[in-house]
Amino acid sequence: MTDPRRANLPPLSLHVPEPRFRPGDDVDFSDVAVPPAGSARRPDTADKADSFHELAYTLIRVLDEEGQAVGPWNPRLDADQLRTMLRNMALTRAFDERMFRAQRQGKTSFYMKSLGEEAVSIGAAMALASDDMCFPSYRQQGILISRGYPLITMMNQIYSNRGDPLMGRQLPIMYSAKDHGFFSISGNLTTQYPQAVGWAMASAAKGDSRIAATWCGEGSTAEGDFHSALTFATVYKAPVILNVVNNQWAISSFSGFAGAEATTFAARAIGYGIAGLRIDGNDALAVYAATQWAAERARTNQGPTLIEHFTYRAEGHSTSDDPSAYRSAGEPNAWPLGDPIRRLKEHLIALREWDEERQAAMDLECAEQVKAAQKAAEKNGILGHGMHQPFDTMFEGVFEEMPWHLREQCQQMIDERKAAGI
């Protein structure tokens, strides 16, 4: 029986988030708040986290509409650094495009592009020290490319061929390169967050000077691992940078299901008492500046920083995804923050350090470099064309010391294959 004191109250109801645009809808992002470039203040890296809460709600931007770098967050990179950043982004995009086509041609089973998000990984990678450890999600291939990891080795892993350093044991695009400060990618969402915090805590415990950085999508902030990691990072002031790539979509679920309708993702930092920044993720200079600031904060024992990269996933989640089934086709072109490569190119042109002819030549050079790497990688085989790794290697890298019964089984398998002439 209903309590009479509640008789006049309306029935309770649940709010179910709904994306603003569905297939076929016209797109209007005019209500997305984009503050003027250069308007956000830049605190000292030693300032207390509770003294700049507004930076978790605004949008730190450096590049304005005329291609000029303005404001206190301008990292003042020289022209050579800017050209290197631009080339790394162009090379990543060329790599993505060719590997996407390779998947469509049946040469591999799976691929994920970072189209429109190149600045997130490359701006950060260039601001970090080369020996800082990165704990990426699966759309940060630009980190490896920025750090000079061989394209052919990346492709060997994608093809799971005989040149694959992981010997076909990982899904395509889940690279691992300890010598390049790139921790093994996991398909399980946000497992890299507690790993990064733990690594950073260990670095601090040893008195080292290296820090950790990690990335996840905005949808993954709803995972328990995210919050467990932030608790440890907060309590122990771990020297770690926690990047949330808010590209508006977690596969086919829009960001509202992770809490975007209530507040920003950078605001999660406030609840944990750590530094929080919300930045224009399509502005490579803003990404560089925010990462550089957070890295200095971490290295001077000021604790972790959470950075929300406000960006947009221009393509599907992966080659297994069809975004036309759940979002308007007009969204990518209507996104108000534009394309990161075009914006950095226009900045260099505005500085009179670049032009369209050199951009076209660089794009062609990147495409040819990727094409040559693909030809070399495919000589090692492609996925599904035979067994590229010997059977007797299946136990390698699993145990520090292989148990006797597995050694026995492995030897039995080798003997049987020899007897069969295989």
Side-chain angles (χ1 to χ4, degrees), residues 94-135:
F95 183 89
D96 279 353
E97 186 57 39
R98 185 156 286 273
M99 290 296 95
F100 181 88
R101 291 204 305 269
Q103 191 278 336
R104 291 299 192 237
Q105 293 165 354
K107 296 177 179 179
T108 188
S109 60
F110 183 76
Y111 194 74
M112 300 181 76
K113 297 172 76 172
S114 60
L115 183 66
E117 300 176 44
E118 293 90 352
V120 170
S121 57
I122 291 159
M126 292 187 64
L128 293 168
S130 61
D131 58 351
D132 289 333
M133 183 60 77
C134 295
F135 292 76

Side-chain angles (χ1 to χ4, degrees), residues 144-162:
L144 281 176
I145 289 173
S146 292
R147 290 185 166 181
Y149 193 68
L151 299 183
I152 184 174
T153 308
M154 295 175 71
M155 292 175 177
N156 286 336
Q157 195 281 324
I158 292 167
Y159 290 142
S160 297
N161 60 26
R162 62 178 174 270

Side-chain angles (χ1 to χ4, degrees), residues 184-382:
S184 302
I185 295 178
S186 171
N188 298 320
L189 295 178
T190 332
T191 55
Q192 67 273 21
Y193 255 61
Q195 292 164 352
V197 173
W199 191 96
M201 289 171 61
S203 183
K206 292 185 295 185
D208 203 342
S209 61
R210 294 180 297 164
I211 66 172
T214 186
W215 289 257
C216 76
E218 85 285 345
S220 299
T221 63
E223 295 286 329
D225 277 349
F226 175 85
H227 297 280
S228 296
L230 262 68
T231 298
F232 274 83
T234 299
V235 171
Y236 295 101
K237 297 183 74 171
V240 61
I241 303 172
L242 306 155
N243 295 283
V244 176
V245 185
N246 178 11
N247 64 15
Q248 315 304 313
W249 291 95
I251 309 184
S252 58
S253 298
F254 91 112
S255 58
F257 282 101
E261 292 181 341
T263 188
T264 68
F265 292 98
R268 283 156 170 69
I270 296 174
Y272 284 97
I274 65 176
L277 306 176
R278 186 169 180 262
I279 70 172
D280 178 349
N282 287 22
D283 180 344
L285 297 190
V287 175
Y288 182 100
T291 304
Q292 185 183 53
W293 183 90
E296 181 180 336
R297 191 174 177 87
R299 276 187 238 281
T300 55
N301 296 310
Q302 303 301 316
T305 300
L306 189 152
I307 302 175
E308 176 188 347
H309 302 257
F310 194 60
T311 181
Y312 186 83
R313 194 191 77 207
E315 288 274 0
H317 175 73
S318 70
T319 49
S320 302
D321 178 41
D322 178 13
S324 68
Y326 56 81
R327 74 181 188 189
S328 172
E331 283 192 28
N333 292 330
W335 184 244
L337 298 179
D339 177 80
I341 292 180
R342 178 185 57 77
R343 289 176 65 185
L344 186 58
K345 176 194 73 173
E346 290 175 353
H347 174 54
L348 272 163
I349 291 174
L351 294 175
R352 298 184 179 180
E353 294 285 353
W354 200 242
D355 53 52
E356 294 290 355
E357 290 74 20
R358 279 188 279 182
Q359 179 72 30
M362 182 188 70
D363 287 340
L364 179 60
E365 179 190 348
C366 288
E368 291 298 324
Q369 180 181 347
V370 173
K371 181 179 178 181
Q374 183 187 29
K375 287 184 176 180
E378 290 182 0
K379 291 179 180 178
N380 293 322
I382 59 176

